[in-house]
Amino acid sequence: MNLQLGQIPAFIVSSPEIASEIMKTHDLKFCSRPTTLVMKKFSYGGLDIAFSKYGVQWRQMRKLGMLEIFSTKRVQSFKSVREEEVHILIQSIRHSCSQTVNLSDMFLCMSNNIICREVFGKRFSDDGECNRSEHHDLVLEIMELIGGFSLGDFFPSLKYWLNLFTGWHGKLERNFKRMDELFEREIEEHSSSLYDDHGHEEEDFLDVLLKLQKDFSLGFSLTKDHIKAILMNMFLGGTDTSALTLEWAMTELMRNPTLMKKAQDEVRGVVGSKGKVEESDLQQLQYMKLIVSETLRLHCIARLLLPRESMEECQVNGYIIPEKSRVYINAWAICNDPKAWENPEVFMPERFEGNDISYRGQHFEFIPFGAGRRICPGMQKGIAVVEITLANMLYHFKWKTPSETGYKGIDTRESFGVVLHKKSPLVLQAAPIET
Ligand code: HEM
């Protein structure tokens, strides 16, 4: 679909074939990002991985990220952080067993605590608790800004006046300042104790980045703003996405008691009376992995991926796409396309059984993490959080809905935004299962 968004030509891609043309055949022409006001601000002027334009600087930062942050070795090194935070979540649910639990909130707090521990070596919730902190709310407010529209981005010549008039500018500046102050404090604290043992079990990402800053073999100078820009990507990319995937997975399992039973039987069969699911058990939980794939398909969290910008004129499917057009890949529509999927509206994990269709960016009918050069580098990290949490949720509790209407009354409405939120939170009752 071809649109004119204010003064900017824009194209929305909603079929797997054209998505493949954009992100595979012509990936190099479409792998840049537009510069919106909010993206420019939160990327410290285009110094990050997610929002910066394609070029030498993006390639350097992406390479650094792949080696130092998103590598399999690094993801595995935070296994104990994930397992501990999942344990805290399970304990918090146990303590509130006679009452209802707001899983939407709890998943968000847990994933935020995991990211905080990985990045800064500390959590922002109270010790041993899975509760909301000011920091969680700040991340959410920033996500809302990123998902919203700034009129000024579509009328570049009126940008200054429109942003001032709508109040957008003030909100942006306030939230940016709060996050920046937090980063500044943490950088100062970490720098002063960089080579001490500051009581962390693991070297955190900020330690790694500060050490790299002093390493001249990088081939470019890693400034304080580069570091802050990467930290921003970690928080914005890693908090909401895993939490929402968990929320939708539990929502669908609650609506499908037969699938819930099958998943619980599998996890209990594999783990037995060990008392908890560990990451070493996950490889055997094949049905649960199908559930995760089906959740990412039916509730494609980043429905329009992140916007792309064409770097030169290009012909796609008979359309001439001019240079500097904005291209949105409607991954949600593609993942729910009736030409690609049988009964796409039905939650059916078995559809992934016995085939090799995966979310890794090779199958263009299933692209919840995008594809091509800009594919999500945090995929492995995100999946690691989702799998260990979901497995433990299934292992430890029997789940019930608090409402009279039972599982049929579970709300599946979605709300507007850059990521796919549920309109109302998922509130359930948990009955512990003795192991
Ligand atoms: C279930 C979890 C996640 C989902 C569904 C998800 C989804 C996505 C999507 C759709 C994109 C855009 C890809 C494109 O434009 O083709 C993306 C990019 C990105 N994600 Fe994720 N993500 C997840 C987890 C994470 C995590 C845990 C992190 C970091 C801690 C992360 C960091 C990033 C970054 C830095 C980019 C920008 C890549 C670039 O432009 O080169 N993501 N993600």
Side-chain angles (χ1 to χ4, degrees):
M1 186 195 293
N2 177 5
L3 295 169
Q4 183 75 25
L5 295 179
Q7 296 163 339
I8 309 275
F11 294 81
I12 301 184
V13 174
S14 304
S15 85
E17 296 74 29
I18 302 180
S20 162
E21 279 206 49
I22 301 276
M23 295 192 289
K24 189 173 170 190
T25 318
H26 300 295
D27 189 39
L28 191 52
K29 292 177 187 159
F30 288 102
C31 68
S32 201
R33 302 273 191 224
T35 313
T36 67
L37 186 70
V38 73
M39 284 159 111
K40 190 170 169 192
K41 191 77 190 174
F42 288 108
S43 66
Y44 287 81
L47 297 180
D48 71 340
I49 302 173
F51 300 144
S52 57
K53 292 212 175 288
Y54 180 79
V56 178
Q57 120 85 33
W58 173 79
R59 285 203 300 273
Q60 285 170 334
M61 292 300 275
R62 173 106 189 178
K63 187 169 162 206
L64 182 149
M66 296 314 285
L67 289 174
E68 303 292 344
I69 296 174
F70 301 112
S71 68
T72 304
K73 190 168 155 233
R74 193 70 77 186
V75 173
Q76 280 166 356
S77 77
F78 286 109
K79 171 173 151 313
S80 58
V81 168
R82 288 187 293 274
E83 288 181 345
E84 280 165 29
E85 289 301 325
V86 171
H87 177 70
I88 293 173
L89 168 77
I90 297 297
Q91 290 307 106
S92 307
I93 297 174
R94 266 183 200 285
H95 291 147
S96 47
C97 253
S98 51
Q99 304 150 22
T100 54
V101 280
N102 181 334
L103 286 184
S104 307
D105 248 8
M106 290 180 116
F107 288 149
L108 191 66
C109 294
M110 183 202 65
S111 62
N112 191 255
N113 282 326
I114 291 177
I115 286 282
C116 289
R117 283 182 65 179
E118 290 176 346
V119 172
F120 298 139
K122 63 163 95 146
R123 40 202 324 273
F124 284 83
S125 292
D126 302 334
D127 262 357
E129 297 279 337
C130 185
N131 54 10
R132 213 169 169 129
S133 76
E134 211 182 303
H135 181 261
H136 303 157
D137 295 331
L138 177 57
V139 171
L140 286 189
E141 274 176 44
I142 296 177
M143 287 301 287
E144 214 172 278
L145 273 171
I146 290 176
F149 274 98
S150 149
L151 272 178
D153 287 329
F154 300 106
F155 295 93
S157 53
L158 301 173
K159 188 155 76 182
Y160 176 78
W161 294 109
L162 283 172
N163 290 330
L164 204 66
F165 185 64
T166 55
W168 179 266
H169 195 256
K171 203 169 170 195
L172 179 70
E173 289 296 334
R174 272 193 305 280
N175 281 302
F176 175 78
K177 187 164 174 280
R178 283 174 64 201
M179 202 68 169
D180 184 67
E181 281 169 359
L182 170 75
F183 291 165
E184 193 66 47
R185 262 197 320 275
E186 291 296 331
I187 289 175
E188 208 164 294
E189 232 174 72
H190 277 65
S191 303
S192 61
S193 59
L194 190 55
Y195 296 98
D196 305 345
D197 170 14
H198 38 159
H200 307 152
E201 356 43 281
E202 283 298 335
E203 199 177 37
D204 57 53
F205 286 128
L206 187 49
D207 292 330
V208 172
L209 292 170
L210 289 170
K211 280 185 186 163
L212 281 172
Q213 203 181 18
K214 299 195 165 40
D215 177 354
F216 296 106
S217 67
L218 260 188
F220 69 100
S221 121
L222 188 69
T223 63
K224 198 201 270 187
D225 276 357
H226 282 103
I227 293 180
K228 288 177 177 174
I230 299 187
L231 299 184
M232 193 69 90
N233 279 182
M234 306 277 303
F235 281 108
L236 301 187
T239 304
D240 236 9
T241 46
S242 309
L244 290 174
T245 308
L246 280 163
E247 192 181 348
W248 284 114
M250 282 301 287
T251 301
E252 287 300 343
L253 288 176
M254 289 306 295
R255 297 178 72 228
N256 294 279
T258 321
L259 309 188
M260 171 71 99
K261 181 171 181 326
K262 194 168 167 186
Q264 293 197 306
D265 287 349
E266 179 189 63
V267 66
R268 289 182 197 138
V270 167
V271 179
S273 57
K274 197 165 65 165
K276 63 177 172 188
V277 190
E278 294 168 305
E279 291 207 351
S280 51
D281 301 313
L282 294 176
Q283 214 31 50
Q284 294 181 69
L285 300 179
Q286 289 305 317
Y287 189 65
M288 193 202 64
K289 286 177 185 281
L290 304 183
I291 291 173
V292 173
S293 289
E294 180 65 343
T295 305
L296 289 165
R297 182 197 68 80
L298 187 58
H299 301 286
C300 186
I301 300 297
R303 41 186 144 196
L304 294 179
L305 306 183
L306 287 176
R308 306 228 172 176
E309 187 180 77
S310 53
M311 295 200 290
E312 55 185 87
E313 185 182 286
C314 183
Q315 185 166 0
V316 177
N317 198 36
Y319 284 99
I320 300 287
I321 303 193
E323 187 187 346
K324 288 202 175 298
S325 296
R326 207 162 289 183
V327 179
Y328 295 94
I329 312 283
N330 190 344
W332 184 91
I334 291 173
C335 287
N336 285 276
D337 181 354
K339 289 198 211 96
W341 301 97
E342 202 185 323
N343 298 327
E345 71 291 350
V346 179
F347 186 77
M348 194 165 44
E350 287 76 6
R351 68 172 83 240
F352 288 99
E353 206 160 30
N355 59 51
D356 65 349
I357 299 178
S358 97
Y359 43 69
R360 291 171 208 283
Q362 309 298 324
H363 300 96
F364 286 86
E365 69 276 36
F366 185 37
I367 45 169
F369 293 97
R373 286 170 176 76
R374 287 285 189 161
I375 192 170
C376 173
M379 181 186 341
Q380 212 186 341
K381 266 173 79 52
I383 290 289
V385 172
V386 170
E387 287 187 350
I388 189 65
T389 314
L390 185 59
N392 275 287
M393 299 292 284
L394 297 172
Y395 180 71
H396 285 280
F397 304 103
K398 233 175 136 73
W399 294 96
K400 278 198 314 196
T401 49
S403 76
E404 298 285 297
T405 48
Y407 65 87
K408 291 203 173 104
I410 290 190
D411 188 4
T412 54
R413 284 172 307 157
E414 300 161 350
S415 67
F416 179 77
V418 72
V419 286
L420 194 71
H421 281 272
K422 254 173 111 289
K423 207 156 197 168
S424 59
L426 180 64
V427 178
L428 297 178
Q429 260 174 342
I433 294 173
E434 289 319 318
T435 50

